[in-house]
PDB file of all heavy atoms in Angstrom:
ATOM      1  N   LEU A   1      -7.193  58.408  -7.253  1.00 88.00           N
ATOM      2  CA  LEU A   1      -6.384  57.756  -6.116  1.00 88.00           C
ATOM      3  C   LEU A   1      -5.120  57.341  -6.690  1.00 88.00           C
ATOM      4  O   LEU A   1      -4.058  57.545  -5.953  1.00 88.00           O
ATOM      5  CB  LEU A   1      -7.216  56.490  -5.574  1.00 88.00           C
ATOM      6  CG  LEU A   1      -6.594  55.776  -4.422  1.00 88.00           C
ATOM      7  CD1 LEU A   1      -6.469  56.761  -3.218  1.00 88.00           C
ATOM      8  CD2 LEU A   1      -7.421  54.579  -4.021  1.00 88.00           C
ATOM      9  N   ALA A   2      -5.013  56.815  -7.855  1.00 87.00           N
ATOM     10  CA  ALA A   2      -3.617  56.329  -8.374  1.00 87.00           C
ATOM     11  C   ALA A   2      -2.713  57.526  -8.697  1.00 87.00           C
ATOM     12  O   ALA A   2      -1.528  57.532  -8.575  1.00 87.00           O
ATOM     13  CB  ALA A   2      -3.959  55.542  -9.720  1.00 87.00           C
ATOM     14  N   GLN A   3      -3.350  58.602  -8.995  1.00 87.00           N
ATOM     15  CA  GLN A   3      -2.678  59.838  -9.346  1.00 87.00           C
ATOM     16  C   GLN A   3      -1.861  60.449  -8.086  1.00 87.00           C
ATOM     17  O   GLN A   3      -0.682  60.927  -8.269  1.00 87.00           O
ATOM     18  CB  GLN A   3      -3.505  61.008  -9.840  1.00 87.00           C
ATOM     19  CG  GLN A   3      -4.211  60.828 -11.174  1.00 87.00           C
ATOM     20  CD  GLN A   3      -3.111  60.678 -12.294  1.00 87.00           C
ATOM     21  OE1 GLN A   3      -2.229  61.561 -12.398  1.00 87.00           O
ATOM     22  NE2 GLN A   3      -3.199  59.531 -13.051  1.00 87.00           N
ATOM     23  N   LYS A   4      -2.488  60.140  -6.848  1.00 84.00           N
ATOM     24  CA  LYS A   4      -1.736  60.586  -5.651  1.00 84.00           C
ATOM     25  C   LYS A   4      -0.424  59.818  -5.382  1.00 84.00           C
ATOM     26  O   LYS A   4       0.391  60.322  -4.671  1.00 84.00           O
ATOM     27  CB  LYS A   4      -2.721  60.435  -4.463  1.00 84.00           C
ATOM     28  CG  LYS A   4      -3.955  61.208  -4.581  1.00 84.00           C
ATOM     29  CD  LYS A   4      -4.920  60.991  -3.339  1.00 84.00           C
ATOM     30  CE  LYS A   4      -6.117  61.792  -3.510  1.00 84.00           C
ATOM     31  NZ  LYS A   4      -7.088  61.573  -2.343  1.00 84.00           N
ATOM     32  N   GLN A   5      -0.216  58.655  -6.036  1.00 82.00           N
ATOM     33  CA  GLN A   5       1.004  57.874  -5.856  1.00 82.00           C
ATOM     34  C   GLN A   5       2.093  58.346  -6.781  1.00 82.00           C
ATOM     35  O   GLN A   5       3.102  57.754  -6.664  1.00 82.00           O
ATOM     36  CB  GLN A   5       0.582  56.370  -5.990  1.00 82.00           C
ATOM     37  CG  GLN A   5      -0.633  55.847  -5.123  1.00 82.00           C
ATOM     38  CD  GLN A   5      -0.614  56.182  -3.723  1.00 82.00           C
ATOM     39  OE1 GLN A   5       0.449  56.076  -3.048  1.00 82.00           O
ATOM     40  NE2 GLN A   5      -1.657  56.670  -3.146  1.00 82.00           N
ATOM     41  N   LYS A   6       1.685  59.070  -7.766  1.00 83.00           N
ATOM     42  CA  LYS A   6       2.616  59.420  -8.742  1.00 83.00           C
ATOM     43  C   LYS A   6       3.453  60.676  -8.489  1.00 83.00           C
ATOM     44  O   LYS A   6       2.974  61.761  -7.962  1.00 83.00           O
ATOM     45  CB  LYS A   6       1.982  59.648 -10.219  1.00 83.00           C
ATOM     46  CG  LYS A   6       1.116  58.336 -10.655  1.00 83.00           C
ATOM     47  CD  LYS A   6       0.612  58.383 -11.980  1.00 83.00           C
ATOM     48  CE  LYS A   6       1.771  58.589 -13.035  1.00 83.00           C
ATOM     49  NZ  LYS A   6       1.271  58.484 -14.414  1.00 83.00           N
ATOM     50  N   ALA A   7       4.707  60.735  -8.782  1.00 80.00           N
ATOM     51  CA  ALA A   7       5.482  61.922  -8.641  1.00 80.00           C
ATOM     52  C   ALA A   7       5.102  63.041  -9.523  1.00 80.00           C
ATOM     53  O   ALA A   7       5.132  64.206  -9.085  1.00 80.00           O
ATOM     54  CB  ALA A   7       7.062  61.572  -8.877  1.00 80.00           C
ATOM     55  N   GLN A   8       4.730  62.696 -10.828  1.00 84.00           N
ATOM     56  CA  GLN A   8       4.259  63.723 -11.750  1.00 84.00           C
ATOM     57  C   GLN A   8       2.915  63.325 -12.110  1.00 84.00           C
ATOM     58  O   GLN A   8       2.776  62.288 -12.784  1.00 84.00           O
ATOM     59  CB  GLN A   8       5.177  63.997 -12.889  1.00 84.00           C
ATOM     60  CG  GLN A   8       4.774  65.061 -13.788  1.00 84.00           C
ATOM     61  CD  GLN A   8       5.705  65.332 -14.904  1.00 84.00           C
ATOM     62  OE1 GLN A   8       6.608  64.451 -15.308  1.00 84.00           O
ATOM     63  NE2 GLN A   8       5.825  66.480 -15.404  1.00 84.00           N
ATOM     64  N   GLN A   9       1.883  64.070 -11.793  1.00 89.00           N
ATOM     65  CA  GLN A   9       0.437  63.691 -12.111  1.00 89.00           C
ATOM     66  C   GLN A   9       0.061  63.859 -13.594  1.00 89.00           C
ATOM     67  O   GLN A   9       0.642  64.781 -14.126  1.00 89.00           O
ATOM     68  CB  GLN A   9      -0.435  64.369 -11.095  1.00 89.00           C
ATOM     69  CG  GLN A   9      -0.283  63.945  -9.606  1.00 89.00           C
ATOM     70  CD  GLN A   9      -1.398  64.553  -8.765  1.00 89.00           C
ATOM     71  OE1 GLN A   9      -2.479  65.018  -9.245  1.00 89.00           O
ATOM     72  NE2 GLN A   9      -1.145  64.539  -7.446  1.00 89.00           N
ATOM     73  N   ASP A  10      -0.870  63.085 -14.150  1.00 91.00           N
ATOM     74  CA  ASP A  10      -1.278  63.245 -15.423  1.00 91.00           C
ATOM     75  C   ASP A  10      -2.234  64.471 -15.575  1.00 91.00           C
ATOM     76  O   ASP A  10      -2.866  64.797 -14.501  1.00 91.00           O
ATOM     77  CB  ASP A  10      -1.731  61.887 -15.952  1.00 91.00           C
ATOM     78  CG  ASP A  10      -0.788  60.767 -15.822  1.00 91.00           C
ATOM     79  OD1 ASP A  10       0.344  61.018 -16.177  1.00 91.00           O
ATOM     80  OD2 ASP A  10      -1.184  59.678 -15.384  1.00 91.00           O
ATOM     81  N   ASN A  11      -2.479  64.749 -16.767  1.00 93.00           N
ATOM     82  CA  ASN A  11      -3.582  65.604 -17.051  1.00 93.00           C
ATOM     83  C   ASN A  11      -4.888  64.893 -17.271  1.00 93.00           C
ATOM     84  O   ASN A  11      -4.906  63.807 -17.928  1.00 93.00           O
ATOM     85  CB  ASN A  11      -3.254  66.444 -18.460  1.00 93.00           C
ATOM     86  CG  ASN A  11      -1.904  67.216 -18.323  1.00 93.00           C
ATOM     87  OD1 ASN A  11      -1.615  67.806 -17.269  1.00 93.00           O
ATOM     88  ND2 ASN A  11      -1.098  67.093 -19.434  1.00 93.00           N
ATOM     89  N   ILE A  12      -5.922  65.349 -16.774  1.00 94.00           N
ATOM     90  CA  ILE A  12      -7.251  64.644 -16.820  1.00 94.00           C
ATOM     91  C   ILE A  12      -8.293  65.627 -17.305  1.00 94.00           C
ATOM     92  O   ILE A  12      -8.424  66.666 -16.661  1.00 94.00           O
ATOM     93  CB  ILE A  12      -7.554  64.007 -15.445  1.00 94.00           C
ATOM     94  CG1 ILE A  12      -6.495  62.996 -15.149  1.00 94.00           C
ATOM     95  CG2 ILE A  12      -8.961  63.362 -15.696  1.00 94.00           C
ATOM     96  CD1 ILE A  12      -6.775  62.373 -13.642  1.00 94.00           C
ATOM     97  N   ILE A  13      -9.117  65.190 -18.326  1.00 96.00           N
ATOM     98  CA  ILE A  13     -10.219  65.987 -18.813  1.00 96.00           C
ATOM     99  C   ILE A  13     -11.448  65.251 -18.590  1.00 96.00           C
ATOM    100  O   ILE A  13     -11.567  64.071 -19.097  1.00 96.00           O
ATOM    101  CB  ILE A  13      -9.886  66.436 -20.308  1.00 96.00           C
ATOM    102  CG1 ILE A  13      -8.761  67.433 -20.246  1.00 96.00           C
ATOM    103  CG2 ILE A  13     -11.221  67.236 -20.712  1.00 96.00           C
ATOM    104  CD1 ILE A  13      -8.371  67.640 -21.787  1.00 96.00           C
ATOM    105  N   ILE A  14     -12.434  65.823 -17.923  1.00 96.00           N
ATOM    106  CA  ILE A  14     -13.762  65.081 -17.683  1.00 96.00           C
ATOM    107  C   ILE A  14     -14.907  65.905 -18.330  1.00 96.00           C
ATOM    108  O   ILE A  14     -15.062  67.082 -18.061  1.00 96.00           O
ATOM    109  CB  ILE A  14     -14.010  64.826 -16.203  1.00 96.00           C
ATOM    110  CG1 ILE A  14     -12.719  64.179 -15.514  1.00 96.00           C
ATOM    111  CG2 ILE A  14     -15.319  64.216 -15.869  1.00 96.00           C
ATOM    112  CD1 ILE A  14     -12.816  64.090 -14.078  1.00 96.00           C
ATOM    113  N   SER A  15     -15.752  65.252 -19.144  1.00 95.00           N
ATOM    114  CA  SER A  15     -16.708  65.913 -19.848  1.00 95.00           C
ATOM    115  C   SER A  15     -17.784  65.013 -20.370  1.00 95.00           C
ATOM    116  O   SER A  15     -17.476  63.770 -20.349  1.00 95.00           O
ATOM    117  CB  SER A  15     -16.197  66.745 -21.123  1.00 95.00           C
ATOM    118  OG  SER A  15     -17.151  67.300 -21.937  1.00 95.00           O
ATOM    119  N   SER A  16     -18.872  65.489 -20.666  1.00 94.00           N
ATOM    120  CA  SER A  16     -19.925  64.750 -21.334  1.00 94.00           C
ATOM    121  C   SER A  16     -19.736  64.831 -22.878  1.00 94.00           C
ATOM    122  O   SER A  16     -18.958  65.676 -23.353  1.00 94.00           O
ATOM    123  CB  SER A  16     -21.385  65.371 -21.107  1.00 94.00           C
ATOM    124  OG  SER A  16     -21.694  65.450 -19.781  1.00 94.00           O
ATOM    125  N   LEU A  17     -20.278  63.916 -23.576  1.00 92.00           N
ATOM    126  CA  LEU A  17     -19.984  63.873 -25.123  1.00 92.00           C
ATOM    127  C   LEU A  17     -21.177  63.369 -25.718  1.00 92.00           C
ATOM    128  O   LEU A  17     -21.710  62.199 -25.523  1.00 92.00           O
ATOM    129  CB  LEU A  17     -18.852  63.055 -25.438  1.00 92.00           C
ATOM    130  CG  LEU A  17     -18.435  62.965 -26.890  1.00 92.00           C
ATOM    131  CD1 LEU A  17     -17.666  64.301 -27.273  1.00 92.00           C
ATOM    132  CD2 LEU A  17     -17.543  61.782 -27.214  1.00 92.00           C
ATOM    133  N   GLY A  18     -21.787  64.188 -26.650  1.00 87.00           N
ATOM    134  CA  GLY A  18     -22.905  63.684 -27.587  1.00 87.00           C
ATOM    135  C   GLY A  18     -24.224  64.095 -27.010  1.00 87.00           C
ATOM    136  O   GLY A  18     -24.441  64.270 -25.843  1.00 87.00           O
ATOM    137  N   ASN A  19     -25.153  64.327 -27.914  1.00 85.00           N
ATOM    138  CA  ASN A  19     -26.530  64.691 -27.664  1.00 85.00           C
ATOM    139  C   ASN A  19     -27.453  63.749 -28.462  1.00 85.00           C
ATOM    140  O   ASN A  19     -27.298  63.576 -29.535  1.00 85.00           O
ATOM    141  CB  ASN A  19     -26.782  66.175 -27.959  1.00 85.00           C
ATOM    142  CG  ASN A  19     -25.830  67.069 -27.172  1.00 85.00           C
ATOM    143  OD1 ASN A  19     -26.136  67.414 -25.974  1.00 85.00           O
ATOM    144  ND2 ASN A  19     -24.797  67.475 -27.803  1.00 85.00           N
ATOM    145  N   ALA A  20     -28.642  63.449 -27.733  1.00 78.00           N
ATOM    146  CA  ALA A  20     -29.660  62.761 -28.477  1.00 78.00           C
ATOM    147  C   ALA A  20     -30.708  63.537 -29.159  1.00 78.00           C
ATOM    148  O   ALA A  20     -31.388  63.079 -30.059  1.00 78.00           O
ATOM    149  CB  ALA A  20     -30.386  61.857 -27.356  1.00 78.00           C
ATOM    150  N   SER A  21     -30.695  64.909 -28.961  1.00 74.00           N
ATOM    151  CA  SER A  21     -31.742  65.744 -29.466  1.00 74.00           C
ATOM    152  C   SER A  21     -31.115  67.106 -29.550  1.00 74.00           C
ATOM    153  O   SER A  21     -30.057  67.485 -28.988  1.00 74.00           O
ATOM    154  CB  SER A  21     -33.061  65.835 -28.643  1.00 74.00           C
ATOM    155  OG  SER A  21     -32.718  66.376 -27.574  1.00 74.00           O
ATOM    156  N   GLU A  22     -31.750  67.960 -30.484  1.00 70.00           N
ATOM    157  CA  GLU A  22     -31.328  69.383 -30.634  1.00 70.00           C
ATOM    158  C   GLU A  22     -31.397  70.185 -29.483  1.00 70.00           C
ATOM    159  O   GLU A  22     -30.692  71.086 -29.159  1.00 70.00           O
ATOM    160  CB  GLU A  22     -32.041  70.041 -31.849  1.00 70.00           C
ATOM    161  CG  GLU A  22     -31.666  69.491 -33.142  1.00 70.00           C
ATOM    162  CD  GLU A  22     -32.356  70.243 -34.331  1.00 70.00           C
ATOM    163  OE1 GLU A  22     -33.309  70.979 -33.970  1.00 70.00           O
ATOM    164  OE2 GLU A  22     -31.984  70.179 -35.455  1.00 70.00           O
ATOM    165  N   GLN A  23     -32.505  69.813 -28.649  1.00 71.00           N
ATOM    166  CA  GLN A  23     -32.625  70.653 -27.382  1.00 71.00           C
ATOM    167  C   GLN A  23     -31.476  70.239 -26.521  1.00 71.00           C
ATOM    168  O   GLN A  23     -31.057  71.334 -25.817  1.00 71.00           O
ATOM    169  CB  GLN A  23     -34.002  69.995 -26.685  1.00 71.00           C
ATOM    170  CG  GLN A  23     -34.385  70.907 -25.424  1.00 71.00           C
ATOM    171  CD  GLN A  23     -34.928  72.246 -25.896  1.00 71.00           C
ATOM    172  OE1 GLN A  23     -35.371  72.436 -26.919  1.00 71.00           O
ATOM    173  NE2 GLN A  23     -34.591  73.326 -25.057  1.00 71.00           N
ATOM    174  N   GLU A  24     -30.976  69.199 -26.434  1.00 77.00           N
ATOM    175  CA  GLU A  24     -29.703  68.988 -25.497  1.00 77.00           C
ATOM    176  C   GLU A  24     -28.506  69.805 -26.065  1.00 77.00           C
ATOM    177  O   GLU A  24     -27.729  70.198 -25.196  1.00 77.00           O
ATOM    178  CB  GLU A  24     -29.451  67.480 -25.445  1.00 77.00           C
ATOM    179  CG  GLU A  24     -30.451  66.687 -24.704  1.00 77.00           C
ATOM    180  CD  GLU A  24     -30.017  65.127 -24.632  1.00 77.00           C
ATOM    181  OE1 GLU A  24     -28.823  64.908 -24.931  1.00 77.00           O
ATOM    182  OE2 GLU A  24     -30.858  64.381 -24.325  1.00 77.00           O
ATOM    183  N   MET A  25     -28.427  69.975 -27.363  1.00 81.00           N
ATOM    184  CA  MET A  25     -27.273  70.601 -27.914  1.00 81.00           C
ATOM    185  C   MET A  25     -27.194  72.047 -27.462  1.00 81.00           C
ATOM    186  O   MET A  25     -26.091  72.645 -27.445  1.00 81.00           O
ATOM    187  CB  MET A  25     -27.391  70.690 -29.497  1.00 81.00           C
ATOM    188  CG  MET A  25     -27.353  69.434 -30.155  1.00 81.00           C
ATOM    189  SD  MET A  25     -27.398  69.665 -31.940  1.00 81.00           S
ATOM    190  CE  MET A  25     -27.704  67.948 -32.613  1.00 81.00           C
ATOM    191  N   LEU A  26     -28.307  72.601 -27.048  1.00 79.00           N
ATOM    192  CA  LEU A  26     -28.471  74.053 -26.641  1.00 79.00           C
ATOM    193  C   LEU A  26     -28.126  74.229 -25.223  1.00 79.00           C
ATOM    194  O   LEU A  26     -28.252  75.393 -24.721  1.00 79.00           O
ATOM    195  CB  LEU A  26     -29.869  74.625 -27.094  1.00 79.00           C
ATOM    196  CG  LEU A  26     -30.211  74.481 -28.583  1.00 79.00           C
ATOM    197  CD1 LEU A  26     -31.635  74.960 -28.736  1.00 79.00           C
ATOM    198  CD2 LEU A  26     -29.234  75.270 -29.314  1.00 79.00           C
ATOM    199  N   SER A  27     -27.932  73.194 -24.369  1.00 81.00           N
ATOM    200  CA  SER A  27     -27.690  73.350 -22.929  1.00 81.00           C
ATOM    201  C   SER A  27     -26.301  73.418 -22.638  1.00 81.00           C
ATOM    202  O   SER A  27     -25.393  72.962 -23.303  1.00 81.00           O
ATOM    203  CB  SER A  27     -28.361  72.265 -22.263  1.00 81.00           C
ATOM    204  OG  SER A  27     -27.779  70.983 -22.615  1.00 81.00           O
ATOM    205  N   ILE A  28     -26.006  73.957 -21.371  1.00 85.00           N
ATOM    206  CA  ILE A  28     -24.661  73.960 -20.950  1.00 85.00           C
ATOM    207  C   ILE A  28     -24.289  72.632 -20.268  1.00 85.00           C
ATOM    208  O   ILE A  28     -25.055  71.990 -19.498  1.00 85.00           O
ATOM    209  CB  ILE A  28     -24.566  75.097 -19.839  1.00 85.00           C
ATOM    210  CG1 ILE A  28     -24.754  76.582 -20.425  1.00 85.00           C
ATOM    211  CG2 ILE A  28     -23.084  75.088 -19.132  1.00 85.00           C
ATOM    212  CD1 ILE A  28     -23.768  76.951 -21.421  1.00 85.00           C
ATOM    213  N   LYS A  29     -23.058  72.248 -20.472  1.00 89.00           N
ATOM    214  CA  LYS A  29     -22.518  70.924 -20.023  1.00 89.00           C
ATOM    215  C   LYS A  29     -21.142  71.213 -19.367  1.00 89.00           C
ATOM    216  O   LYS A  29     -20.112  71.132 -19.936  1.00 89.00           O
ATOM    217  CB  LYS A  29     -22.406  69.926 -21.204  1.00 89.00           C
ATOM    218  CG  LYS A  29     -23.704  69.531 -21.817  1.00 89.00           C
ATOM    219  CD  LYS A  29     -23.684  68.325 -22.671  1.00 89.00           C
ATOM    220  CE  LYS A  29     -24.894  67.807 -23.152  1.00 89.00           C
ATOM    221  NZ  LYS A  29     -24.896  66.694 -24.108  1.00 89.00           N
ATOM    222  N   PRO A  30     -21.228  71.485 -17.988  1.00 90.00           N
ATOM    223  CA  PRO A  30     -19.955  71.770 -17.308  1.00 90.00           C
ATOM    224  C   PRO A  30     -18.937  70.743 -17.488  1.00 90.00           C
ATOM    225  O   PRO A  30     -19.203  69.495 -17.563  1.00 90.00           O
ATOM    226  CB  PRO A  30     -20.475  71.994 -15.906  1.00 90.00           C
ATOM    227  CG  PRO A  30     -21.727  71.187 -15.740  1.00 90.00           C
ATOM    228  CD  PRO A  30     -22.407  71.408 -17.174  1.00 90.00           C
ATOM    229  N   ALA A  31     -17.651  71.096 -17.588  1.00 94.00           N
ATOM    230  CA  ALA A  31     -16.540  70.094 -17.745  1.00 94.00           C
ATOM    231  C   ALA A  31     -15.511  70.555 -16.653  1.00 94.00           C
ATOM    232  O   ALA A  31     -15.505  71.473 -16.079  1.00 94.00           O
ATOM    233  CB  ALA A  31     -16.108  70.094 -19.153  1.00 94.00           C
TER     234      ALA A  31
END
């Protein structure tokens, strides 16, 4: 919402980070 008020919008990267187990490491995590 704040970005809509800016003349030049910022870059934003959204992602998950870290895994509790090896099984989680092998899965796809869309970003």
Side-chain angles (χ1 to χ4, degrees):
L1 183 62
Q3 293 295 308
K4 295 178 181 180
Q5 314 303 320
K6 300 187 68 172
Q8 186 173 24
Q9 296 188 13
D10 299 317
N11 306 315
I12 301 174
I13 300 173
I14 303 171
S15 174
S16 307
L17 184 73
N19 301 278
S21 66
E22 287 184 348
Q23 190 66 34
E24 289 184 18
M25 294 181 193
L26 302 174
S27 61
I28 295 296
K29 294 187 173 182

